[in-house]
mmCIF file of all heavy atoms in Angstrom:
data_model
loop_
_atom_site.group_PDB
_atom_site.id
_atom_site.type_symbol
_atom_site.label_atom_id
_atom_site.label_comp_id
_atom_site.label_asym_id
_atom_site.label_seq_id
_atom_site.Cartn_x
_atom_site.Cartn_y
_atom_site.Cartn_z
ATOM 1 N N ALA A 286 -14.364 0.985 -23.318
ATOM 2 C CA ALA A 286 -14.411 2.452 -23.313
ATOM 3 C C ALA A 286 -15.605 2.956 -24.118
ATOM 4 O O ALA A 286 -16.387 2.161 -24.643
ATOM 5 C CB ALA A 286 -13.121 3.010 -23.893
ATOM 6 N N GLY A 287 -15.706 4.252 -24.221
ATOM 7 C CA GLY A 287 -16.762 4.831 -25.040
ATOM 8 C C GLY A 287 -16.952 6.298 -24.719
ATOM 9 O O GLY A 287 -16.297 6.858 -23.833
ATOM 10 N N MET A 288 -17.864 6.923 -25.467
ATOM 11 C CA MET A 288 -18.202 8.321 -25.212
ATOM 12 C C MET A 288 -19.238 8.355 -24.090
ATOM 13 O O MET A 288 -20.201 7.578 -24.102
ATOM 14 C CB MET A 288 -18.771 8.977 -26.478
ATOM 15 C CG MET A 288 -17.848 8.905 -27.688
ATOM 16 S SD MET A 288 -16.165 9.477 -27.345
ATOM 17 C CE MET A 288 -16.444 11.244 -27.150
ATOM 18 N N VAL A 289 -19.050 9.242 -23.132
ATOM 19 C CA VAL A 289 -19.935 9.286 -21.965
ATOM 20 C C VAL A 289 -21.383 9.504 -22.419
ATOM 21 O O VAL A 289 -21.672 10.411 -23.217
ATOM 22 C CB VAL A 289 -19.508 10.398 -20.987
ATOM 23 C CG1 VAL A 289 -20.430 10.420 -19.768
ATOM 24 C CG2 VAL A 289 -18.064 10.190 -20.544
ATOM 25 N N HIS A 290 -22.262 8.663 -21.932
ATOM 26 C CA HIS A 290 -23.679 8.691 -22.316
ATOM 27 C C HIS A 290 -24.319 10.013 -21.860
ATOM 28 O O HIS A 290 -24.059 10.469 -20.746
ATOM 29 C CB HIS A 290 -24.385 7.509 -21.660
ATOM 30 C CG HIS A 290 -25.711 7.191 -22.273
ATOM 31 N ND1 HIS A 290 -26.803 7.996 -22.145
ATOM 32 C CD2 HIS A 290 -26.103 6.142 -23.048
ATOM 33 C CE1 HIS A 290 -27.824 7.455 -22.801
ATOM 34 N NE2 HIS A 290 -27.419 6.331 -23.355
ATOM 35 N N PRO A 291 -25.164 10.622 -22.717
ATOM 36 C CA PRO A 291 -25.799 11.898 -22.334
ATOM 37 C C PRO A 291 -26.529 11.828 -20.991
ATOM 38 O O PRO A 291 -26.516 12.801 -20.229
ATOM 39 C CB PRO A 291 -26.791 12.152 -23.476
ATOM 40 C CG PRO A 291 -26.277 11.370 -24.628
ATOM 41 C CD PRO A 291 -25.503 10.211 -24.089
ATOM 42 N N VAL A 292 -27.146 10.689 -20.714
ATOM 43 C CA VAL A 292 -27.865 10.553 -19.438
ATOM 44 C C VAL A 292 -26.888 10.634 -18.259
ATOM 45 O O VAL A 292 -27.173 11.246 -17.223
ATOM 46 C CB VAL A 292 -28.662 9.223 -19.408
ATOM 47 C CG1 VAL A 292 -29.204 8.965 -18.015
ATOM 48 C CG2 VAL A 292 -29.781 9.258 -20.426
ATOM 49 N N VAL A 293 -25.719 10.024 -18.431
ATOM 50 C CA VAL A 293 -24.708 10.057 -17.371
ATOM 51 C C VAL A 293 -24.193 11.488 -17.189
ATOM 52 O O VAL A 293 -24.015 11.956 -16.060
ATOM 53 C CB VAL A 293 -23.550 9.081 -17.689
ATOM 54 C CG1 VAL A 293 -22.451 9.179 -16.642
ATOM 55 C CG2 VAL A 293 -24.070 7.642 -17.774
ATOM 56 N N LEU A 294 -23.973 12.174 -18.312
ATOM 57 C CA LEU A 294 -23.551 13.581 -18.228
ATOM 58 C C LEU A 294 -24.563 14.394 -17.428
ATOM 59 O O LEU A 294 -24.208 15.145 -16.512
ATOM 60 C CB LEU A 294 -23.414 14.182 -19.634
ATOM 61 C CG LEU A 294 -22.179 13.784 -20.442
ATOM 62 C CD1 LEU A 294 -22.287 14.342 -21.860
ATOM 63 C CD2 LEU A 294 -20.899 14.290 -19.786
ATOM 64 N N LYS A 295 -25.839 14.208 -17.747
ATOM 65 C CA LYS A 295 -26.900 14.937 -17.062
ATOM 66 C C LYS A 295 -26.901 14.602 -15.576
ATOM 67 O O LYS A 295 -26.999 15.493 -14.727
ATOM 68 C CB LYS A 295 -28.264 14.584 -17.681
ATOM 69 C CG LYS A 295 -28.880 15.736 -18.471
ATOM 70 C CD LYS A 295 -30.284 15.370 -18.915
ATOM 71 C CE LYS A 295 -30.321 15.295 -20.442
ATOM 72 N NZ LYS A 295 -31.464 14.572 -20.980
ATOM 73 N N ASN A 296 -26.788 13.316 -15.274
ATOM 74 C CA ASN A 296 -26.784 12.892 -13.865
ATOM 75 C C ASN A 296 -25.612 13.474 -13.088
ATOM 76 O O ASN A 296 -25.674 13.645 -11.874
ATOM 77 C CB ASN A 296 -26.758 11.363 -13.760
ATOM 78 C CG ASN A 296 -28.058 10.741 -14.218
ATOM 79 O OD1 ASN A 296 -29.081 11.420 -14.301
ATOM 80 N ND2 ASN A 296 -28.025 9.454 -14.544
ATOM 81 N N GLY A 297 -24.523 13.761 -13.805
ATOM 82 C CA GLY A 297 -23.352 14.339 -13.146
ATOM 83 C C GLY A 297 -23.398 15.862 -13.118
ATOM 84 O O GLY A 297 -22.472 16.493 -12.619
ATOM 85 N N GLY A 298 -24.448 16.447 -13.699
ATOM 86 C CA GLY A 298 -24.590 17.897 -13.670
ATOM 87 C C GLY A 298 -23.967 18.586 -14.881
ATOM 88 O O GLY A 298 -23.674 19.783 -14.832
ATOM 89 N N TYR A 299 -23.749 17.856 -15.978
ATOM 90 C CA TYR A 299 -23.176 18.454 -17.197
ATOM 91 C C TYR A 299 -24.241 18.466 -18.291
ATOM 92 O O TYR A 299 -24.931 17.462 -18.494
ATOM 93 C CB TYR A 299 -21.978 17.634 -17.680
ATOM 94 C CG TYR A 299 -20.712 17.854 -16.866
ATOM 95 C CD1 TYR A 299 -20.581 17.309 -15.596
ATOM 96 C CD2 TYR A 299 -19.651 18.594 -17.380
ATOM 97 C CE1 TYR A 299 -19.430 17.503 -14.846
ATOM 98 C CE2 TYR A 299 -18.489 18.797 -16.646
ATOM 99 C CZ TYR A 299 -18.383 18.246 -15.389
ATOM 100 O OH TYR A 299 -17.246 18.441 -14.662
ATOM 101 N N ASP A 300 -24.344 19.567 -18.995
ATOM 102 C CA ASP A 300 -25.309 19.682 -20.084
ATOM 103 C C ASP A 300 -24.753 18.975 -21.331
ATOM 104 O O ASP A 300 -23.732 19.399 -21.883
ATOM 105 C CB ASP A 300 -25.538 21.185 -20.371
ATOM 106 C CG ASP A 300 -26.517 21.387 -21.521
ATOM 107 O OD1 ASP A 300 -26.934 20.387 -22.145
ATOM 108 O OD2 ASP A 300 -26.846 22.565 -21.779
ATOM 109 N N PRO A 301 -25.426 17.898 -21.789
ATOM 110 C CA PRO A 301 -24.881 17.126 -22.915
ATOM 111 C C PRO A 301 -24.842 17.903 -24.227
ATOM 112 O O PRO A 301 -24.153 17.483 -25.158
ATOM 113 C CB PRO A 301 -25.826 15.922 -23.028
ATOM 114 C CG PRO A 301 -26.915 16.116 -22.047
ATOM 115 C CD PRO A 301 -26.665 17.340 -21.238
ATOM 116 N N ASP A 302 -25.554 19.032 -24.291
ATOM 117 C CA ASP A 302 -25.474 19.846 -25.511
ATOM 118 C C ASP A 302 -24.206 20.688 -25.538
ATOM 119 O O ASP A 302 -23.789 21.176 -26.579
ATOM 120 C CB ASP A 302 -26.696 20.781 -25.613
ATOM 121 C CG ASP A 302 -27.971 19.981 -25.852
ATOM 122 O OD1 ASP A 302 -27.852 18.899 -26.475
ATOM 123 O OD2 ASP A 302 -29.040 20.416 -25.395
ATOM 124 N N VAL A 303 -23.593 20.864 -24.384
ATOM 125 C CA VAL A 303 -22.409 21.724 -24.282
ATOM 126 C C VAL A 303 -21.154 20.886 -24.044
ATOM 127 O O VAL A 303 -20.074 21.194 -24.542
ATOM 128 C CB VAL A 303 -22.594 22.723 -23.113
ATOM 129 C CG1 VAL A 303 -21.401 23.663 -23.026
ATOM 130 C CG2 VAL A 303 -23.894 23.505 -23.290
ATOM 131 N N TRP A 304 -21.319 19.806 -23.281
ATOM 132 C CA TRP A 304 -20.160 19.014 -22.866
ATOM 133 C C TRP A 304 -20.152 17.653 -23.542
ATOM 134 O O TRP A 304 -21.179 17.079 -23.825
ATOM 135 C CB TRP A 304 -20.179 18.796 -21.349
ATOM 136 C CG TRP A 304 -20.050 20.064 -20.573
ATOM 137 C CD1 TRP A 304 -21.074 20.881 -20.162
ATOM 138 C CD2 TRP A 304 -18.844 20.666 -20.129
ATOM 139 N NE1 TRP A 304 -20.577 21.955 -19.489
ATOM 140 C CE2 TRP A 304 -19.204 21.856 -19.445
ATOM 141 C CE3 TRP A 304 -17.494 20.341 -20.224
ATOM 142 C CZ2 TRP A 304 -18.255 22.699 -18.869
ATOM 143 C CZ3 TRP A 304 -16.557 21.172 -19.655
ATOM 144 C CH2 TRP A 304 -16.932 22.344 -18.988
ATOM 145 N N SER A 305 -18.939 17.154 -23.778
ATOM 146 C CA SER A 305 -18.807 15.770 -24.237
ATOM 147 C C SER A 305 -17.550 15.194 -23.602
ATOM 148 O O SER A 305 -16.727 15.937 -23.058
ATOM 149 C CB SER A 305 -18.698 15.718 -25.765
ATOM 150 O OG SER A 305 -17.545 16.431 -26.184
ATOM 151 N N GLY A 306 -17.440 13.889 -23.688
ATOM 152 C CA GLY A 306 -16.252 13.287 -23.076
ATOM 153 C C GLY A 306 -16.215 11.798 -23.285
ATOM 154 O O GLY A 306 -17.124 11.213 -23.872
ATOM 155 N N PHE A 307 -15.127 11.198 -22.820
ATOM 156 C CA PHE A 307 -15.034 9.741 -22.943
ATOM 157 C C PHE A 307 -14.621 9.142 -21.606
ATOM 158 O O PHE A 307 -14.123 9.842 -20.711
ATOM 159 C CB PHE A 307 -14.061 9.324 -24.060
ATOM 160 C CG PHE A 307 -12.633 9.763 -23.866
ATOM 161 C CD1 PHE A 307 -11.762 9.051 -23.026
ATOM 162 C CD2 PHE A 307 -12.144 10.870 -24.547
ATOM 163 C CE1 PHE A 307 -10.435 9.449 -22.886
ATOM 164 C CE2 PHE A 307 -10.816 11.274 -24.395
ATOM 165 C CZ PHE A 307 -9.964 10.566 -23.564
ATOM 166 N N ALA A 308 -14.880 7.830 -21.481
ATOM 167 C CA ALA A 308 -14.500 7.098 -20.278
ATOM 168 C C ALA A 308 -13.938 5.752 -20.704
ATOM 169 O O ALA A 308 -14.245 5.256 -21.787
ATOM 170 C CB ALA A 308 -15.709 6.904 -19.374
ATOM 171 N N PHE A 309 -13.075 5.196 -19.872
ATOM 172 C CA PHE A 309 -12.541 3.863 -20.168
ATOM 173 C C PHE A 309 -12.291 3.147 -18.848
ATOM 174 O O PHE A 309 -12.230 3.778 -17.792
ATOM 175 C CB PHE A 309 -11.245 3.957 -20.986
ATOM 176 C CG PHE A 309 -10.173 4.800 -20.338
ATOM 177 C CD1 PHE A 309 -9.298 4.262 -19.412
ATOM 178 C CD2 PHE A 309 -10.051 6.151 -20.661
ATOM 179 C CE1 PHE A 309 -8.316 5.052 -18.820
ATOM 180 C CE2 PHE A 309 -9.073 6.945 -20.073
ATOM 181 C CZ PHE A 309 -8.198 6.396 -19.147
ATOM 182 N N GLY A 310 -12.197 1.839 -18.916
ATOM 183 C CA GLY A 310 -11.929 1.070 -17.704
ATOM 184 C C GLY A 310 -11.082 -0.142 -18.043
ATOM 185 O O GLY A 310 -11.241 -0.746 -19.104
ATOM 186 N N MET A 311 -10.138 -0.451 -17.146
ATOM 187 C CA MET A 311 -9.273 -1.598 -17.411
ATOM 188 C C MET A 311 -8.940 -2.306 -16.108
ATOM 189 O O MET A 311 -9.018 -1.719 -15.027
ATOM 190 C CB MET A 311 -7.992 -1.122 -18.081
ATOM 191 C CG MET A 311 -7.172 -0.172 -17.230
ATOM 192 S SD MET A 311 -5.719 0.414 -18.084
ATOM 193 C CE MET A 311 -6.393 1.723 -19.064
ATOM 194 N N GLY A 312 -8.586 -3.567 -16.220
ATOM 195 C CA GLY A 312 -8.142 -4.331 -15.055
ATOM 196 C C GLY A 312 -6.708 -3.982 -14.715
ATOM 197 O O GLY A 312 -6.008 -3.339 -15.506
ATOM 198 N N VAL A 313 -6.276 -4.379 -13.535
ATOM 199 C CA VAL A 313 -4.901 -4.119 -13.117
ATOM 200 C C VAL A 313 -4.132 -5.426 -12.946
ATOM 201 O O VAL A 313 -2.980 -5.551 -13.372
ATOM 202 C CB VAL A 313 -4.880 -3.301 -11.808
ATOM 203 C CG1 VAL A 313 -3.463 -3.117 -11.294
ATOM 204 C CG2 VAL A 313 -5.534 -1.946 -12.040
ATOM 205 N N GLU A 314 -4.779 -6.412 -12.348
ATOM 206 C CA GLU A 314 -4.111 -7.711 -12.190
ATOM 207 C C GLU A 314 -3.830 -8.355 -13.553
ATOM 208 O O GLU A 314 -2.788 -8.969 -13.751
ATOM 209 C CB GLU A 314 -4.952 -8.669 -11.342
ATOM 210 C CG GLU A 314 -4.997 -8.319 -9.864
ATOM 211 C CD GLU A 314 -6.190 -7.438 -9.529
ATOM 212 O OE1 GLU A 314 -6.876 -6.981 -10.479
ATOM 213 O OE2 GLU A 314 -6.442 -7.203 -8.328
ATOM 214 N N ARG A 315 -4.791 -8.203 -14.452
ATOM 215 C CA ARG A 315 -4.676 -8.887 -15.748
ATOM 216 C C ARG A 315 -3.407 -8.496 -16.522
ATOM 217 O O ARG A 315 -2.683 -9.382 -16.970
ATOM 218 C CB ARG A 315 -5.941 -8.625 -16.567
ATOM 219 C CG ARG A 315 -5.935 -9.171 -17.950
ATOM 220 C CD ARG A 315 -6.957 -10.295 -18.144
ATOM 221 N NE ARG A 315 -6.950 -10.761 -19.532
ATOM 222 C CZ ARG A 315 -6.371 -11.873 -19.936
ATOM 223 N NH1 ARG A 315 -5.770 -12.670 -19.073
ATOM 224 N NH2 ARG A 315 -6.377 -12.228 -21.207
ATOM 225 N N PRO A 316 -3.103 -7.194 -16.681
ATOM 226 C CA PRO A 316 -1.847 -6.862 -17.366
ATOM 227 C C PRO A 316 -0.614 -7.424 -16.666
ATOM 228 O O PRO A 316 0.336 -7.855 -17.324
ATOM 229 C CB PRO A 316 -1.807 -5.327 -17.377
ATOM 230 C CG PRO A 316 -3.034 -4.849 -16.726
ATOM 231 C CD PRO A 316 -3.918 -6.004 -16.422
#
Side-chain angles (χ1 to χ4, degrees):
M288 303 309 289
V289 181
H290 197 290
V292 170
V293 176
L294 284 174
K295 250 186 245 162
N296 291 342
Y299 284 74
D300 179 355
D302 292 330
V303 182
W304 296 89
S305 61
F307 62 81
F309 56 86
M311 62 183 82
V313 175
E314 288 93 352
R315 176 113 178 103

